[in-house]
Amino acid sequence: MNQQVKTRNLKKKNTKPNDIVDKKKQGLRNRETNVISFIFVALFLMMASYLVYFNVFEASTIVNNPYNKRIDNLENKVVRGNILAADGQILAETDIDEDGNETRVYPFSEVFCHVVGLASAKTGVEGVANYELLSTSGNIINQLSDDLSGEKSVGYDVVTTLVPKLQEAAYKALGSNKGAVVAMEPSTGRVLAMVSKPDYDPNEAPEMYSEWLGYDSSDSVLLNRATQGLYSPGSTFKVLTALEYVREYPDYENYSFDCTGSAYVNGGTTIPCYNGSVHGHQDLKLGFANSCNGVFSTIGFRLNLSKYRQLCEDFYYNKNLDIGIESSVSSFTLDENSGVSEIQETGIGQGKTMVSPMHNLMIISAIANRGVMMQPYFVEKVQTRSGDVVSTTTPKQKSVVCTPSEADTIGEFCRAVVTEGTGYAFTYTSYTVAGKTGTAQFDNSDRVHSWFIGYAPYENPQISFCVILEGGYTGVPGAQQVTKALLDAFFDEY
């Protein structure tokens, strides 16, 4: 009996160390399992997050990439949909002859050529909405039936934001000059018109495209000057120079300068006012209205250059505009290491600063919209051939670039341009305009680019605009007159 008790006690003593070891091993295995589980959960969450990011931010870009061959393959099964103006007029359609041959047709010929683009080159709206134009609403059974019968489905129609009356007015006003006109609704970003010249007839593209590619860059008809052209902004850049001064100097109303027709800064260069104008005593608002180079070529030396550069980059200098269609990046190079002459030239929009008309439009639109820059867009909605809406574009805020108070101040300056400064073309119109004139030197000749940016009505902006006439223009005194033709059409004033 005692021997049995001793044996049982001995067994108990012998099992305790083994139990501890087993529990340690089990705990170790549990930890390893947990670590592996956490790793797989983390990987899953990362992949899920990327898929969400891809679908929200990248999918549309990948889908409409001209190198995406999967989309091109849809052309074997789908007849490309129509592109329509805001009022329903057809801007692009596909004609099918008796033998089934398809031809892309552009009823307005040259008028919408750059903004609508070419289906073959996937430019303009043809590129932006390439996927939608080749998509269909047919169910899988109908698609299989079409595949078996050899018949093609009809792609969605795309309704643009473009207004033919404005487009035609801008096209006519530009005449035979090189340049661009672009207009949009500042509160939404809806692009209302976009014209670029020299132009081309997109109906002739099958025969002429190779020849067009060989044109010199200065005469290129394929270049959309509204979005791809880069120019010295000239005095239109004074919008940002003035804004930075207002931001750094709350007492800006006390600014004073006596203009003698030119300004010299020690170590720099002499900057003349346009046509040698002597403006006399100027405050900041009047200097802006008169586009006094003496004021703005010297203001830069009172600015914090790092903050000045940051302001310009907040307004999307040195950044991709991401507007869907092909565009160039505007450049601002001034920094704390820049020389005296460069600071002078930058303040008046000369030197190394370059901007596209579309970007200049976005800048003035943000002023019109009290500091909020909206994302420009060209497609209002996508619909079936029968008119059923598939999707619509929701206006999207791109960035808040300045405060409402700052925007209002610059808006007052822009209004003064028209009421007491260089914006003389709008003195007797029934609508009120706020804007900024600009002349930009671009070579060693006397030729200059003529700019006008702005918005109307001043009290409640409905349209913002940017016009540039390249140097050597004829038939019009300047960009203001082209703008007036656009606004007359918008407000039906003839």
Coordinates of all heavy atoms in Angstrom, one line a residue, residues 11-12 22 52 86 88 135 140 170 177 183 192-193 197 209 221 249 253 287 353 361 365 403 420 464 468 483 487:
K11 N 5.5 9.4 -9.8 CA 5.0 9.7 -11.2 C 4.6 11.2 -11.3 O 4.8 11.8 -12.3 CB 3.9 8.8 -11.5 CG 4.3 7.3 -11.8 CD 3.1 6.5 -12.1 CE 3.6 5.0 -12.4 NZ 2.4 4.2 -12.8
K12 N 3.9 11.6 -10.2 CA 3.5 13.0 -10.2 C 4.7 14.0 -10.3 O 4.7 14.9 -11.0 CB 2.7 13.4 -9.0 CG 1.3 12.7 -9.0 CD 0.5 13.1 -7.8 CE -0.9 12.4 -7.8 NZ -1.7 12.8 -6.6
D22 N 5.9 21.2 -22.3 CA 4.9 21.1 -23.3 C 4.1 22.4 -23.4 O 3.7 22.9 -24.5 CB 3.9 20.0 -22.9 CG 4.5 18.6 -23.1 OD1 5.6 18.6 -23.9 OD2 4.0 17.6 -22.6
V52 N -8.7 49.4 -53.6 CA -9.6 50.5 -53.5 C -9.0 51.8 -54.1 O -9.6 52.5 -54.9 CB -10.0 50.8 -52.0 CG1 -10.7 52.1 -51.8 CG2 -10.8 49.7 -51.4
A86 N -23.0 70.0 -75.3 CA -23.9 70.2 -74.2 C -25.3 70.3 -74.6 O -26.2 69.8 -73.9 CB -23.5 71.4 -73.4
G88 N -26.6 68.7 -77.3 CA -27.0 67.5 -78.0 C -26.5 67.4 -79.4 O -26.7 66.4 -80.1
S135 N -17.8 51.1 -74.7 CA -18.5 50.2 -73.7 C -20.0 50.1 -74.1 O -20.5 51.0 -74.7 CB -18.4 50.8 -72.3 OG -17.1 50.8 -71.9
I140 N -25.0 39.7 -71.0 CA -24.1 38.7 -71.6 C -24.7 37.9 -72.7 O -24.0 37.5 -73.6 CB -23.6 37.8 -70.4 CG1 -22.5 36.8 -70.9 CG2 -24.8 37.0 -69.8 CD1 -21.2 37.5 -71.3
A170 N -15.6 81.9 -80.3 CA -14.1 82.0 -80.1 C -13.3 81.7 -81.3 O -12.3 82.3 -81.6 CB -13.8 81.1 -78.9
N177 N -5.2 83.9 -86.7 CA -4.0 84.0 -85.8 C -3.7 82.7 -85.0 O -4.6 81.9 -84.8 CB -4.3 85.1 -84.7 CG -4.5 86.5 -85.4 OD1 -3.6 87.0 -86.0 ND2 -5.7 87.1 -85.2
A183 N -12.5 78.6 -71.9 CA -13.5 79.2 -71.0 C -14.1 78.1 -70.2 O -14.3 77.0 -70.7 CB -14.5 80.0 -71.7
L192 N -16.4 75.1 -71.0 CA -17.4 75.6 -71.9 C -16.9 75.7 -73.4 O -17.7 75.5 -74.3 CB -18.0 76.9 -71.4 CG -18.5 76.9 -70.0 CD1 -18.9 78.3 -69.6 CD2 -19.7 75.9 -69.8
A193 N -15.7 76.0 -73.5 CA -15.1 76.2 -74.9 C -13.6 76.1 -74.8 O -13.0 76.4 -73.8 CB -15.5 77.6 -75.5
K197 N -5.4 77.4 -82.4 CA -5.0 77.6 -83.8 C -3.5 77.8 -83.9 O -2.9 78.4 -83.0 CB -5.7 78.9 -84.3 CG -7.2 78.7 -84.6 CD -7.8 79.8 -85.4 CE -9.3 79.5 -85.7 NZ -9.8 80.6 -86.6
Y209 N -2.5 62.9 -91.6 CA -1.9 62.8 -90.2 C -0.4 62.7 -90.3 O 0.3 63.4 -89.5 CB -2.5 61.6 -89.4 CG -2.1 61.7 -88.0 CD1 -2.7 62.6 -87.1 CD2 -1.1 60.8 -87.4 CE1 -2.4 62.6 -85.7 CE2 -0.8 60.9 -86.1 CZ -1.4 61.8 -85.3 OH -1.1 61.8 -83.9
V221 N -0.2 71.9 -86.2 CA -1.6 72.0 -86.1 C -2.1 71.0 -85.1 O -3.3 71.1 -84.6 CB -2.3 71.7 -87.5 CG1 -1.9 72.8 -88.5 CG2 -1.9 70.3 -88.0
Y249 N 1.9 91.5 -46.5 CA 1.8 92.9 -45.9 C 0.3 93.3 -45.8 O -0.3 93.8 -46.7 CB 2.5 93.9 -46.9 CG 4.0 93.7 -47.0 CD1 4.5 92.8 -47.9 CD2 4.8 94.3 -46.0 CE1 5.9 92.6 -48.0 CE2 6.2 94.1 -46.1 CZ 6.7 93.2 -47.1 OH 8.1 93.0 -47.1
E253 N -2.6 98.5 -48.4 CA -3.3 99.7 -48.9 C -2.4 100.9 -48.8 O -2.7 102.0 -49.4 CB -4.6 99.9 -48.2 CG -5.6 98.8 -48.5 CD -6.9 99.0 -47.7 OE1 -6.9 99.7 -46.7 OE2 -8.0 98.5 -48.2
G287 N -1.6 100.4 -59.4 CA -0.4 99.8 -60.1 C -0.8 98.5 -60.8 O -0.4 98.3 -61.9
T353 N 9.6 82.1 -66.1 CA 8.3 81.6 -65.8 C 7.5 81.3 -67.1 O 7.5 82.1 -68.0 CB 7.5 82.6 -65.0 OG1 8.3 83.0 -63.8 CG2 6.2 82.1 -64.5
L361 N -6.1 79.9 -66.8 CA -7.6 79.9 -66.6 C -7.9 79.4 -65.2 O -8.8 79.9 -64.5 CB -8.3 79.1 -67.7 CG -9.8 78.9 -67.5 CD1 -10.6 80.2 -67.6 CD2 -10.3 77.8 -68.5
S365 N -9.8 81.4 -62.3 CA -11.1 80.8 -61.9 C -11.1 80.6 -60.4 O -12.1 80.8 -59.8 CB -11.3 79.5 -62.6 OG -11.4 79.6 -64.0
T403 N -7.4 82.3 -49.3 CA -8.6 82.6 -48.4 C -9.7 83.4 -49.3 O -9.3 84.1 -50.2 CB -8.3 83.4 -47.2 OG1 -7.9 84.7 -47.6 CG2 -7.2 82.7 -46.4
E420 N -10.7 101.3 -64.5 CA -9.8 102.5 -64.5 C -8.4 102.1 -65.0 O -7.5 102.9 -64.8 CB -9.7 103.1 -63.1 CG -9.4 102.1 -62.0 CD -9.4 102.7 -60.6 OE1 -8.8 103.7 -60.4 OE2 -10.1 102.1 -59.7
S464 N -15.4 82.1 -66.7 CA -14.1 82.6 -66.6 C -13.4 82.2 -67.9 O -13.8 81.3 -68.6 CB -13.3 81.9 -65.4 OG -13.4 80.5 -65.4
I468 N -5.1 84.0 -75.4 CA -3.8 84.4 -75.8 C -3.7 84.5 -77.3 O -4.2 83.6 -78.1 CB -2.7 83.4 -75.3 CG1 -1.3 84.0 -75.6 CG2 -2.8 82.0 -75.8 CD1 -0.1 83.3 -75.0
T483 N -11.8 88.2 -76.4 CA -12.6 87.9 -75.2 C -14.0 88.5 -75.3 O -14.9 87.8 -75.0 CB -11.9 88.4 -74.0 OG1 -10.5 87.8 -73.9 CG2 -12.6 88.0 -72.7
L487 N -17.6 86.7 -74.8 CA -18.6 87.1 -73.8 C -19.8 87.7 -74.4 O -20.9 87.5 -73.8 CB -17.9 88.2 -72.8 CG -16.8 87.7 -72.0 CD1 -16.2 88.8 -71.1 CD2 -17.1 86.5 -71.2

